Amino acid sequence: MSGLLGIPRERIPIAVAMVVALAVTLVWLQRRFDQSDVKKGIAMALEYRPGGGRKSVFDALVALGRGDPRCDGKVVSALLGDVDVRCSLPGDLGTEYEFRVLLDGKRPPRPANPAAQALLAGIGQSGKVR
């Protein structure tokens, strides 16, 4: 009558099914949390107004005149709430603007590549894009 880890032999299939169901549920939940974090990270990156200016990153990207930005992201660290956000413009697919965003909101998004640095540098205190 003894089975695996003290589980009766006839109940092993039920135990295995329960462990598989738990694993699938945890993976599904983690993906949902990651999707939510990515959406929040993209919103924070696009709404960022360097130096407290009037223009946001979204406004600066649109002002380039190459179409509306298309952004995607991935969670770098779920523990820290660190999201890597990458935006491109339909009229200039070769250029990608990358930002690292911490979801705690204590620090502003920071540029993570030269194109994003140039974009933020171009947004002056007056809110004009150079």
Side-chain angles (χ1 to χ4, degrees), residues 23 26 31 34 41 43 72 97 123:
L26 290 175
R31 285 187 182 157
D34 287 350
D72 195 11
Y97 303 89
I123 303 174

Side-chain angles (χ1 to χ4, degrees), residues 97-122:
Y97 303 89
E98 183 179 1
F99 301 91
R100 292 297 288 271
V101 181
L102 293 176
L103 299 178
D104 63 4
K106 294 179 183 175
R107 285 174 258 167
R110 65 178 177 82
N113 70 353
Q117 289 173 348
L119 181 75
L120 291 186

Side-chain angles (χ1 to χ4, degrees), residues 23-103:
V24 167
T25 302
L26 290 175
V27 167
W28 177 79
L29 278 174
Q30 186 61 48
R31 285 187 182 157
R32 293 286 305 246
F33 284 127
D34 287 350
Q35 287 175 350
S36 175
D37 286 350
V38 166
K39 287 179 185 178
K40 185 176 179 183
I42 291 170
M44 289 175 72
L46 292 177
E47 292 170 359
Y48 176 54
R49 297 174 189 276
R54 293 183 311 168
K55 280 208 179 245
S56 67
V57 169
F58 177 79
D59 296 332
L61 288 170
V62 170
L64 293 174
R66 299 182 196 130
D68 289 339
R70 295 183 182 157
C71 300
D72 195 11
K74 71 174 184 174
V75 175
V76 177
S77 171
L79 181 65
L80 297 175
D82 186 6
V83 179
D84 181 44
V85 176
R86 295 171 183 257
C87 297
S88 61
L89 300 170
D92 185 13
L93 294 176
T95 305
E96 194 170 65
Y97 303 89
E98 183 179 1
F99 301 91
R100 292 297 288 271
V101 181
L102 293 176
L103 299 178

